[in-house]
Structure formats: structure tokens, C-alpha cells
Amino acid sequence: MIVAGLGFSNAATVDSLKAAYDQASSGHAVDALATVVDKDGHPALAGFAATLGLPLHLIAPADLAEQRTLICSPRSRASYGTGSVAEASALAAAGFGARLITPRQISHDRLATCAIAIGGQT
């Protein structure tokens, strides 16, 4: 399974998410989206997920903190215990043995990030 992990600020729009996703997912057939559970219900996330028609996995902060990320954002580390919400969400949702195939990409307006992970088991 290939998962696009998303991290974003409350000010993010559907366009913010789309820009980060388009950069990260180029050349990959994404099966699902993932982000931290406290973003559930955000209008941009709901709109974006509906547009793509992909399932959305909501990840608990404790599960994010268990993931090893390439990026180490101090803000993300302070809020969620991980270096990158996008990378950690993708890894957690992709399952055991997952690895990043695209590290965190940032939207043009800097309000959203996206990373792509592939599951370790088929």
C-alpha cells in the first residue's frame, strides 16, 4: 500500500494540500491518505480527500512519535513528538516495515506538507 501523509496548519486550504500532494505523489499510485487524528473535520482535509476519493487514515499522536522521520521540524516535534507529521503519518498508515519513497514536500504557500510511504508487506 502506498500512503500520502499530510501535515498542515489550520490556515491550509484545499489548494495548499493539493500543491504538496502533487509534488510528493508524482509518479506514484497513492492508495490512501493519512494525517494526525486532531485534523479530523478540517474543511480543507475533508474537501481534498473527497476530491481524490481516497480513504483517510487518522493517526494517534503516540503512533506518530514511534516513527522515524527524515525531517526534524522543531514545531512538529513540540506539538506531536515527531520530526514530520506528514512523514510519520504516511509511515504509520503504511504499516510494519514501511519506508518513505518521497520525503516531506512543502506547498507553495508553506501551509501544507506531504510525504509518500510504501508498506513493507504486500
Side-chain angles (χ1 to χ4, degrees), residues 19-84:
Y21 175 86
D22 287 349
Q23 287 180 61
S25 67
S26 180
H28 302 291
V30 174
D31 299 306
L33 303 174
T35 194
V36 65
V37 70
D38 69 356
K39 297 294 185 175
D40 189 24
H42 188 284
L45 178 63
F48 182 64
T51 298
L52 292 180
L54 294 174
L56 176 62
H57 298 269
L58 298 170
I59 310 298
D63 293 333
L64 295 180
E66 294 175 2
Q67 305 303 318
R68 194 166 187 178
T69 63
L70 298 175
I71 303 297
C72 189
S73 160
R75 184 177 187 185
S76 183
R77 175 85 48 212
S79 297
Y80 297 105
T82 184
S84 168

Side-chain angles (χ1 to χ4, degrees), residues 3 7-9 12-14 18 36 40 43 47 57-58 60 82 84 90 92 94 100 104:
V3 180
F8 55 95
S9 77
T13 65
V14 170
K18 182 178 181 329
V36 65
D40 189 24
H57 298 269
L58 298 170
T82 184
S84 168
L100 289 172
R104 180 184 80 170

